[in-house]
Amino acid sequence: QVQLVESGGGLVQAGGSLRLSCAASGRTFSTYSMGWFRQAPGKEREFIAAISRSDDSTYYADSMKGRFTISRDVAKNTVYLQMNSLKPEDTAVYYCAASLMVMTTVATAYDYWGQGTQVTVSS
């Protein structure tokens, strides 16, 4: 089993930046591809970005390109999401997830999920 704990969320003004962290424990971190998702009130969970378990290849949802960046530090067992130029519509709970599948955008393909961290962007 893998345990995932997100941190770094909070309140930020529009145009600001946040860096989210997801610390992993349990099975070997490098075994899993990792993803970030978000869920706003009344909406379905939305894919943001994913990073592979092998060569750190990345994939982004089209709407996230240019503002959000996913990265991975295997030595620290941590995956990050750098968020820049934040907008009020980015307000949501942000989740990290781990998958034994190849890098994927499908939420149901992920095996483990963190509890989420709240990001609120004020106008």
Side-chain angles (χ1 to χ4, degrees), residues 1-5 22-29 32 77 112:
Q1 187 176 2
V2 172
Q3 293 80 45
L4 304 173
V5 180
C22 176
S25 62
R27 295 184 181 181
T28 304
F29 182 68
Y32 298 88
N77 297 322
Y112 302 100

Side-chain angles (χ1 to χ4, degrees), residues 41-88:
K43 296 186 177 181
E44 295 183 348
R45 192 160 295 188
E46 178 185 21
F47 171 77
I48 299 172
I51 188 166
S52 74
R53 61 188 177 188
S54 57
D55 61 359
D56 283 344
S57 297
T58 58
Y59 182 80
Y60 296 89
D62 287 341
S63 60
M64 311 299 175
K65 292 180 179 178
R67 295 195 301 125
F68 291 6
T69 303
I70 189 171
S71 61
R72 183 181 193 139
D73 188 334
V74 176
K76 295 183 178 180
N77 297 322
T78 302
V79 64
Y80 304 95
L81 184 68
Q82 178 68 44
M83 306 188 295
N84 299 324
S85 301
L86 286 164
K87 306 173 182 179

